[in-house]
Amino acid sequence: MRRFRFRLERLLELRAHREQEALYRLAEAAGHCVRLARRIQELGQERGAAYRSVPGQTGSLDLGLFAYRERYLAWLESSRRRLKAELAARESQRLEVQARYLEAAREHKVLEKLKERRVAEHRRLARIEEYNVLDDVAASRWVSE
């Protein structure tokens, strides 16, 4: 029997490649989200440390240092709000990329399953053909004796 050849092999390779590209884009989008979340957490820790620090602990109150700390806290809070908004936007982008990845993976899996079924059918037909050939050989041997 002839060798199995899947006629849609090139399409299967193309879909596998698209799935891989979509996976890379998803990983990149997830990485952006993780970095932003980590930076937001760091800013929160910096803000907490700035709140705990009391300017002028030596006994005299330095109003310039106190005003500087308040401006720094305001800057941290505005940076944190800006990063949270950016994280929300990136998260929605990540969800879109994830949907595209899932679609590409589904399309690839459909062709993989089709190939598996056709390989199984080819093997089944090969076994039947081999059985018939062996049956013919045995029958011809019996007849010739």
Side-chain angles (χ1 to χ4, degrees):
M1 179 154 196
R2 61 185 165 81
R3 194 172 78 89
F4 175 74
R5 183 173 172 274
F6 187 55
R7 292 183 306 139
L8 300 174
E9 189 67 38
R10 293 290 296 155
L11 182 61
L12 180 63
E13 290 171 4
L14 178 66
R15 289 205 178 155
H17 181 71
R18 283 185 184 164
E19 178 186 9
Q20 193 67 31
E21 283 181 345
L23 182 62
Y24 290 146
R25 284 192 295 275
L26 178 60
E28 183 181 2
H32 284 300
C33 291
V34 167
R35 281 191 297 277
L36 284 172
R38 188 178 313 127
R39 182 64 184 140
I40 290 169
Q41 184 180 15
E42 289 170 358
L43 288 176
Q45 291 171 352
E46 286 180 34
R47 190 181 77 186
Y51 270 127
R52 287 188 294 277
S53 71
V54 178
Q57 290 179 344
T58 58
S60 65
L61 183 61
D62 185 1
L63 291 179
L65 191 57
F66 187 77
Y68 176 77
R69 183 186 80 155
E70 291 302 313
R71 283 194 304 272
Y72 179 65
L73 287 171
W75 176 80
L76 284 175
E77 188 57 36
S78 69
S79 295
R80 206 163 165 231
R81 278 193 302 264
R82 180 183 51 80
L83 288 176
K84 281 185 176 182
E86 186 179 345
L87 177 61
R90 291 281 187 162
E91 191 65 32
S92 67
Q93 287 176 352
R94 186 192 63 80
L95 290 174
E96 291 172 10
V97 170
Q98 183 177 12
R100 286 193 298 262
Y101 165 71
L102 291 174
E103 179 66 22
R106 186 188 62 75
E107 288 175 355
H108 178 236
K109 191 171 187 169
V110 164
L111 275 182
E112 276 291 329
K113 291 289 186 184
L114 178 63
K115 182 179 179 178
E116 289 173 9
R117 278 185 292 197
R118 293 217 176 135
V119 165
E121 178 67 15
H122 179 77
R123 287 182 181 151
R124 186 183 70 79
L125 292 174
R127 279 194 305 271
I128 290 172
E129 185 176 318
E130 182 181 358
Y131 175 77
N132 289 338
V133 167
L134 291 175
D135 192 37
D136 288 346
V137 168
S140 67
R141 187 172 180 188
W142 179 259
V143 170
S144 64
E145 290 180 3

